Amino acid sequence: MKAIVVREFGPPESIEVEEFPAPQPGEHQVLVDVHAAGVNFPDILVMAGKYQVLPPRPFVAGKECAGIVAAVGKSVTTCKPGDRVLVWMEHGAFGERAIAAQDNCFVMPEAMSFEEGACFGLVYQTAHFALVERARMRPGEVVLVTGATGGVGLAAVQLAKALGATVVAAVSTPEKAEIARRSGADHILDTSVPNLRDALRDQLRQATGGRGADIVIEQVGGDVFDASLRALAWSGRLVVVGFAGGRIPEVKANYLLVKNIGVLGLQISDYRDHHPAQMRRVMGELFDLYGQDKVKPLVSATYPLRDFAAAFAAITTRKAIGKLALTLK
Ligand SMILES: NC(=O)c1ccc[n+]([C@@H]2O[C@H](COP(=O)([O-])OP(=O)(O)OC[C@H]3O[C@@H](n4cnc5c(N)ncnc54)[C@H](OP(=O)(O)O)[C@@H]3O)[C@@H](O)[C@H]2O)c1
């Protein structure tokens, strides 16, 4: 089969699409005939050898895809051959055939396209666990989402809105501001301004009548993290989701004490591996919200598999909006 194969770690443009042996399903596994795969920021870290979990090389990159079940292991009960599914895994999604544990295989709603399915699981599960499991969000709270038109960001904007929050989106361009507004953001903060440290808090206070953010879903790190922490309201919670901007920030514990605030981490793959039943319940809720048109992945561009490096270039140059998908059919 054709696949994006990591032989040596490096940037996407150093990695090739090549022939690779198709995987075979084990007893509890599902083999998927892949139609589309989701492009995610963490794939870049995996290809570069900078991700926290790295398989032995050579391996097929990619964390999620959607397609049709081609075969199942003998103990599989969650799906059957012919079902339209979205699946996710630690690696292996960027090939014509992919294997997933049955726990990580979800039959898609009929209305969901393969491109949407390939771009749904990782970002909406991340947003849901960040808001509900980690931050314990309550309706009426103010939720600030940074990197708000990225994959996780836009999912968090839509989901926080659907769950009854006042949503504030932090973005770097007017075009991204418009996208965030159309996805449900009530207020927009501009992260391209000088002196972000004070300016983000000032903009937020102006937008929220002086309140600040009860919750921050933080994807960017660096100066955006530092400024967001200062913008938390009394008893607020900041969830660390990622460091797309590069710098991993540090926090002084006395600041948390004085402001009565919390900083929490989220690693979604831990829930995937340790709490599959919880994840299946959440996926059911997310599918319901999709059915009600309250969440919907914005797949802003698709690329044939051979052009995958262009998709990742759009991510690293901050040109990507919402989600990008690779098409394999
Ligand atoms: N913890 C978890 O379980 C988990 C799960 C999924 C993803 N993540 C992490 O969450 C972060 C976001 O992932 P994603 O898939 O949503 O990424 P994405 O779609 O590329 O979005 C990232 C956003 O961050 C902002 N950004 C600021 N500086 C950037 C830079 N130098 N390069 C790229 N983007 C930059 C951009 O918005 P502006 O231009 O508006 O600033 C962009 O929209 C990543 O760090 C990823 O590794 C973590």
Side-chain angles (χ1 to χ4, degrees):
M1 66 168 188
K2 286 198 169 37
I4 298 172
V5 180
V6 178
R7 292 189 181 278
E8 298 298 331
F9 293 126
E13 55 278 15
S14 72
I15 290 166
E16 307 270 344
V17 172
E18 53 181 90
E19 284 297 323
F20 200 74
Q24 296 301 321
E27 184 182 340
H28 301 280
Q29 291 180 321
V30 176
L31 177 68
V32 178
D33 188 16
V34 178
H35 284 235
V39 172
N40 288 290
F41 191 98
D43 298 323
I44 301 172
L45 304 175
V46 172
M47 290 185 213
K50 294 180 178 162
Y51 196 66
Q52 52 266 39
V53 183
L54 292 169
R57 285 166 287 153
F59 66 91
V60 176
K63 290 187 174 293
E64 62 179 340
C65 57
I68 295 177
V69 176
V72 296
K74 66 176 189 304
S75 299
V76 169
T77 54
T78 54
C79 62
K80 59 182 186 318
D83 282 346
R84 298 168 76 253
V85 292
L86 66 85
V87 295
W88 58 328
M89 66 276 292
E90 199 53 55
H91 64 93
F94 293 162
E96 290 173 313
R97 294 257 162 135
I99 286 280
Q102 67 158 332
D103 282 342
N104 303 329
C105 176
F106 303 90
V107 177
M108 299 193 305
E110 267 176 36
M112 192 177 266
S113 68
F114 287 121
E115 287 77 12
E116 286 180 332
C119 293
F120 193 81
L122 186 60
V123 292
Y124 284 94
Q125 288 275 5
T126 301
H128 196 288
F129 275 79
L131 287 163
V132 178
E133 174 74 18
R134 303 302 283 137
R136 306 275 163 190
M137 191 207 115
R138 296 178 291 266
E141 288 194 305
V142 173
V143 174
L144 166 61
V145 181
T146 64
T149 58
V152 178
L154 219 44
V157 166
Q158 293 177 359
L159 195 55
K161 187 74 185 171
L163 298 177
T166 296
V167 181
V168 184
V171 295
S172 61
T173 68
E175 185 204 1
K176 290 183 175 185
E178 187 48 37
I179 303 276
R181 249 188 225 104
R182 272 193 258 137
S183 291
D186 300 289
H187 306 285
I188 302 293
L189 308 185
D190 180 0
T191 56
S192 71
V193 292
N195 186 20
L196 190 63
R197 196 177 147 74
D198 292 330
L200 193 87
R201 186 172 60 180
D202 293 347
Q203 292 181 63
L204 184 61
R205 283 188 174 164
Q206 207 168 2
T208 59
R211 175 167 169 174
D214 300 301
I215 293 170
V216 179
I217 305 298
E218 215 295 279
Q219 262 88 240
V220 180
D223 294 347
V224 172
F225 174 98
D226 295 343
S228 302
L229 192 68
R230 281 164 59 81
L232 269 184
W234 183 83
S235 200
R237 294 85 75 200
L238 182 150
V239 184
V240 178
V241 176
F243 314 103
R247 177 168 69 83
I248 297 177
E250 288 176 7
V251 181
K252 286 200 171 138
N254 64 333
Y255 190 70
L256 306 183
L257 181 154
V258 169
K259 281 192 69 177
N260 222 65
I261 55 178
V263 175
L264 306 149
L266 171 70
Q267 171 70 3
I268 195 64
S269 51
D270 288 349
Y271 288 96
R272 181 195 64 205
D273 297 340
H274 301 303
H275 296 284
Q278 185 182 7
M279 205 136 233
R280 188 160 294 276
R281 181 180 53 71
V282 169
M283 192 67 98
E285 286 175 28
L286 291 168
F287 283 161
D288 285 347
L289 291 171
Y290 175 87
Q292 296 162 32
D293 249 354
K294 290 187 173 167
V295 303
K296 188 176 173 65
L298 173 61
V299 184
S300 64
T302 60
Y303 298 77
L305 188 68
R306 64 176 178 278
D307 292 342
F308 73 98
F312 284 106
I315 299 247
T316 50
T317 55
R318 296 165 73 176
K319 294 201 174 87
I321 298 285
K323 294 291 299 174
L324 309 177
L326 304 178
T327 50
L328 290 99
K329 294 286 176 206

